Amino acid sequence: MSIRVRRVYASPEPQDGVRVLVDRLWPRGLSKDAARVDEWPKGLTPSTELRRWYHADERSYEEFAERYEAELAAPEAAELVEHVRELARKGDVTLLTASKSPEQSHAAVLARLLEA
């Protein structure tokens, strides 16, 4: 099982496997053909409230991660987490985000949760 986190703007690579966009909004300026996204489960994204809270005043990434994990425990999101985990059991999965710092984003939180 291999789960990677990459910027959606980076060119697709053969080792990406299933490419899963984990942002609520489509990345600005990127065509669907160029993105080569296989799945886009919007229910895996942080709520609008949590996203706004995190970006408001340099909030704690650790607290954001805890709040996001709590959101992912909700039934609908938990089903989607399990779906992506099942994809990862079958092969490589790349979580795609437009975030400028993927290592400090919701995608990194999700990747850690999926690998647990």
Side-chain angles (χ1 to χ4, degrees):
M1 171 165 97
S2 170
I3 298 173
R4 298 176 7 149
V5 175
R6 297 186 65 218
R7 290 201 73 216
V8 69
Y9 297 106
S11 297
E13 296 178 351
Q15 62 269 31
D16 284 348
V18 178
R19 293 170 54 87
V20 181
L21 179 62
V22 294
D23 289 349
R24 187 167 304 270
L25 302 175
W26 187 261
R28 203 178 293 178
L30 187 64
S31 73
K32 293 190 188 227
D33 286 340
R36 291 202 11 226
V37 169
D38 298 308
E39 298 204 15
W40 188 16
K42 294 177 189 172
L44 281 179
T45 63
S47 66
T48 300
E49 296 79 18
L50 179 57
R51 187 175 42 79
R52 286 181 180 157
W53 173 87
Y54 181 49
H55 294 294
D57 290 316
E58 297 293 322
R59 304 289 183 153
S60 160
Y61 178 71
E62 290 76 25
E63 186 175 349
F64 166 77
E66 288 176 21
R67 290 180 180 204
Y68 179 45
E69 286 183 29
E71 288 186 355
L72 291 172
E76 181 184 333
E79 285 182 33
L80 292 171
V81 168
E82 191 52 40
H83 170 70
V84 176
R85 188 176 280 132
E86 194 58 38
L87 291 173
R89 286 185 186 115
K90 296 175 183 175
D92 297 331
V93 171
T94 298
L95 304 179
L96 301 168
T97 182
S99 173
K100 292 178 184 172
S101 300
E103 63 283 346
Q104 290 285 307
S105 73
H106 66 287
V109 175
L110 181 57
R112 282 194 307 272
L113 184 66
L114 289 166
E115 291 173 337

